[in-house]
Amino acid sequence: TGEEGALKNLESEIPTWNFDRVRENATEIWDKYLSKADIDPVNSGQKISFYTALYHALLMPNLITDVDGKYFGWDRQIHQSNQGNLYTNFSLWDTYRALHPFFTITDQKRTNEFVSSLLQMYDDGGRLPMWPLAGNYTDDMLGYHAVPVIADAYIKGIRGFDVEKAFTAMKHSAELDKLGLKYYKQIGYLPFDRQGESVSKTLEYCYDDWCIAQVAKEMGKQAD
């Protein structure tokens, strides 16, 4: 959020300014996290491939809060987080299928933080994001796939977030008129001559709405 925040981060993360110690700390942290997955590879090449892929999978999302809890909101203002870590860089169209379900198995704590981060974006910017990048909405890719990330966590019993707000935010995504949703709500699909990527968007919206329905069912919201 500024020079002051950067200095606080530096003093918190590297208080002794010792290169070897920083390297040792990084190795210890990565070893602990990568050790959550134990495989029986046929050869060393398979082991290298697996743990390299796992390392890459863990590089995002990224923290957006400074160590003092301040962050740039999606309204472009500096806010103070009162709920711990907030994250950005959610490649949701790419990650809702496998990466986020993987996190529900391996890291429930951060899964709660991820959902809380998406809901904070909803508070700060007025809607759930499609592909939030470095504190910006971007609106890249298709669908509203913050919805299945939240739904997957909720259905699996990971609920360390405001579940009522989460349901309201998910419904809000389905009730917008942007990116062909007005046709989807009116006639159940997107006409190819009115909206680009009409078939893909129709399929994405169908799946996201099904996810909302599963959460509604679990919460006893029969009308929804």
Side-chain angles (χ1 to χ4, degrees):
T1 53
E3 291 181 9
E4 182 181 352
L7 285 170
K8 287 181 180 178
N9 293 343
L10 181 64
E11 291 164 359
S12 172
E13 294 175 2
I14 314 180
T16 59
W17 198 251
N18 183 306
F19 181 87
D20 291 335
R21 187 58 195 150
V22 169
R23 185 176 184 277
E24 290 170 6
N25 286 340
T27 300
E28 291 170 6
I29 292 168
W30 276 108
D31 185 58
K32 181 179 178 180
Y33 213 103
L34 294 174
S35 294
K36 289 188 174 191
D38 187 18
I39 65 170
D40 186 18
V42 174
N43 54 57
S44 60
Q46 282 190 345
K47 184 176 183 179
I48 290 170
S49 294
F50 176 84
Y51 284 107
T52 300
L54 181 57
Y55 167 78
H56 286 152
L58 297 172
L59 293 178
M60 290 170 64
N62 308 118
L63 279 172
I64 196 171
T65 37
D66 285 338
V67 68
D68 60 4
K70 290 182 180 178
Y71 69 98
F72 268 112
W74 285 259
D75 54 3
R76 312 316 302 148
Q77 303 298 314
I78 294 179
H79 295 264
Q80 179 71 47
S81 171
N82 298 314
Q83 57 181 339
N85 294 331
L86 294 177
Y87 290 81
T88 188
N89 297 348
F90 290 84
S91 176
L92 292 167
W93 184 87
D94 306 290
T95 58
Y96 81 90
R97 299 172 180 84
L99 180 62
H100 280 286
F102 171 76
F103 282 132
T104 66
I105 298 169
T106 61
D107 198 335
Q108 292 80 21
K109 178 180 181 295
R110 284 211 305 160
T111 294
N112 275 316
E113 292 177 341
F114 294 157
V115 174
S116 294
S117 299
L118 295 171
L119 295 179
Q120 190 64 58
M121 297 178 213
Y122 171 77
D123 283 343
D124 292 344
R127 57 185 168 90
L128 288 173
M130 289 174 60
W131 202 133
L133 177 66
N136 296 282
Y137 267 106
T138 79
D139 285 342
D140 278 350
M141 308 311 290
L142 314 178
Y144 30 95
H145 295 315
V147 163
V149 171
I150 297 170
D152 188 39
Y154 181 84
I155 293 298
K156 290 176 178 174
I158 302 171
R159 301 176 184 179
F161 50 89
D162 187 333
V163 296
E164 287 293 338
K165 180 195 289 186
F167 186 74
T168 298
M170 287 191 287
K171 274 189 64 178
H172 179 261
S173 294
E175 293 167 346
L176 297 170
D177 287 332
K178 63 199 298 286
L179 299 174
L181 273 169
K182 63 179 180 179
Y183 302 114
Y184 179 68
K185 290 186 293 182
Q186 290 168 1
I187 59 177
Y189 67 95
L190 278 62
F192 80 93
D193 57 346
R194 301 292 180 85
Q195 181 67 216
E197 303 166 315
S198 59
V199 175
S200 294
K201 284 177 181 171
T202 299
L203 291 171
E204 303 283 347
Y205 296 159
C206 285
Y207 177 73
D208 291 339
D209 284 1
W210 180 84
C211 290
I212 297 172
Q214 304 318 300
V215 175
K217 183 179 179 181
E218 185 76 11
M219 296 178 76
K221 297 180 182 291
Q222 294 303 317
D224 290 303

